[in-house]
Amino acid sequence: MRFLLTDEQREFGRSLDALLTAADTPAVLRAWAAGDHGPGRALWGRLADAGVFALVVPEAYGGVGPLPVEAAVACVELGRHAVPGPVAETLAAGVLLAGAGGPVAEEWLPAIASGAAVVSLTLEGYGPYAPDADAADAVFTVTGDELRLAPGPGEPSASADPARRLFRPEPGGAPVAKGPAIRAAARAAGDTAAFATAALALGCGEELLRATVAYVKQRTQFGVPVGSFQAVKHRLADTLIGLEFARPLLYGAAVELASEVSRPGAGAGSAEGSPGSRAAVAAAKVTAGEAGYAAARTALQLHGAIGYTEELDLAWWLRRARPLRDAWGTPSVCRARVLAG
């Protein structure tokens, strides 16, 4: 097996990196955290034009998916640039609605693929909060075998990341789909959300490490760069190893998810997922989440007091690492799933 990204996949990642570098995401983050979603929605539209959200939407609904490997490539880049908005939730909603089928899929999936719709959701077993529900065009909730469209975003709750606000959706709302297929679709959507969050965490960790390496090269103590100190080198090396160990697990999970979709008789978004694929996603999630959080701790320690300042763009990545580690499956939950698989 040639377990490497293709030239096309690498070029896709490079094109997203160029797009996001030119977008000045720190300014977009600050606006999003302040409640101004305009710049973020504009960036969302450009990402949709690049095909990001179409990666999980079947061709029958205007997408090009499901393509898990390409989705991983995209989410790593979005994590590196700390793109605001419910990225993992929108991708998971694409899988959920494809599994649900019917009028709700026909209405929302083309809008997700085109970037016209930003979607958040809650699923049983993953907590009651919908990230960025105030900025979403729809908030879906699943209870048992019922899929509902929440009547409103609900009240906000405290969040460690000011650009990733949490809401408990308003209860009620008429069911838009129901039946045994909803349960299976919700399970697949939960795996997709965990998988996408793992990729976002890996990208976040990569950027934290990159910024920290650049900083210790220019910060001096005793007349030499602090990056020349052995203790600093060891800390950075440990951080790099953690991220590099997470990368193959992420893409291994992508291959597992792709094989689930392509197996005979499996419909896009309808497969519940085998224990092996669920375990692969959980392994990627816990490893990438822990590696990203370790990168944040390293970055904060080696930046010193400047790492706490609001003016430093790095603060947005520092605040994002731990919520990404815990969202859509805490480390303990993911380890239990690995053992169960």
Side-chain angles (χ1 to χ4, degrees), residues 196-209:
T197 304
L200 292 169
L202 178 62
C204 179
E206 288 181 346
E207 176 57 21
L208 284 163
L209 178 60

Side-chain angles (χ1 to χ4, degrees), residues 43-82:
L43 177 57
W44 194 278
R46 293 198 292 275
L47 291 170
D49 291 342
V52 169
F53 303 107
L55 295 172
V56 297
V57 176
E59 293 182 14
Y61 297 100
V64 297
L67 296 173
V69 176
E70 286 76 5
V73 171
C75 286
V76 169
E77 291 302 324
L78 270 60
R80 284 207 313 116
H81 291 273

Side-chain angles (χ1 to χ4, degrees), residues 56 58 89-101 104-105 109 112 119-123 139-144 146-148 176-177 181-190 192 268-270:
V56 297
E89 292 73 25
T90 296
L91 295 174
V95 172
L96 174 66
L97 297 176
V104 66
L109 284 178
I112 288 174
V119 178
S120 191
L121 81 164
T122 65
L123 300 173
V139 180
F140 291 100
T141 64
V142 175
T143 304
E146 287 190 343
L147 171 63
R148 296 173 181 266
V176 293
I182 299 302
R183 236 178 245 277
R187 195 174 179 97
T192 299
S270 64

Side-chain angles (χ1 to χ4, degrees), residues 21-239:
T21 299
D24 188 17
T25 52
V28 177
L29 278 163
R30 286 186 166 85
W32 190 275
D36 179 7
H37 302 132
R41 290 296 295 253
L43 177 57
W44 194 278
R46 293 198 292 275
L47 291 170
D49 291 342
V52 169
F53 303 107
L55 295 172
V56 297
V57 176
E59 293 182 14
Y61 297 100
V64 297
L67 296 173
V69 176
E70 286 76 5
V73 171
C75 286
V76 169
E77 291 302 324
L78 270 60
R80 284 207 313 116
H81 291 273
V83 171
V87 172
E89 292 73 25
T90 296
L91 295 174
V95 172
L96 174 66
L97 297 176
V104 66
E106 295 172 359
E107 177 182 359
W108 287 100
L109 284 178
I112 288 174
S114 68
V118 175
V119 178
S120 191
L121 81 164
T122 65
L123 300 173
E124 281 188 307
Y126 290 98
Y129 298 113
D132 298 305
D134 61 328
D137 299 293
V139 180
F140 291 100
T141 64
V142 175
T143 304
D145 60 0
E146 287 190 343
L147 171 63
R148 296 173 181 266
L149 182 60
E155 292 297 320
S157 298
S159 174
D161 182 357
R164 188 178 183 275
R165 302 175 67 198
L166 301 177
F167 292 79
R168 188 187 291 267
E170 293 180 6
V176 293
K178 61 172 59 178
I182 299 302
R183 236 178 245 277
R187 195 174 179 97
D191 289 344
T192 299
F195 170 71
T197 304
L200 292 169
L202 178 62
C204 179
E206 288 181 346
E207 176 57 21
L208 284 163
L209 178 60
R210 183 208 64 78
T212 305
V213 169
Y215 181 72
V216 299
K217 285 181 178 179
Q218 56 184 321
R219 179 186 172 191
T220 60
Q221 197 170 32
F222 308 114
V224 297
V226 297
S228 65
F229 300 160
Q230 197 75 356
V232 172
K233 290 180 179 179
H234 285 179
R235 186 67 185 266
L236 292 171
D238 289 343
T239 302

Side-chain angles (χ1 to χ4, degrees), residues 6 10 14 20 27 41 60 116 259 265 285 335:
T6 65
R10 292 179 184 275
R14 286 191 290 268
L20 293 168
R41 290 296 295 253
S259 67
K285 175 63 171 61
R335 289 188 178 97

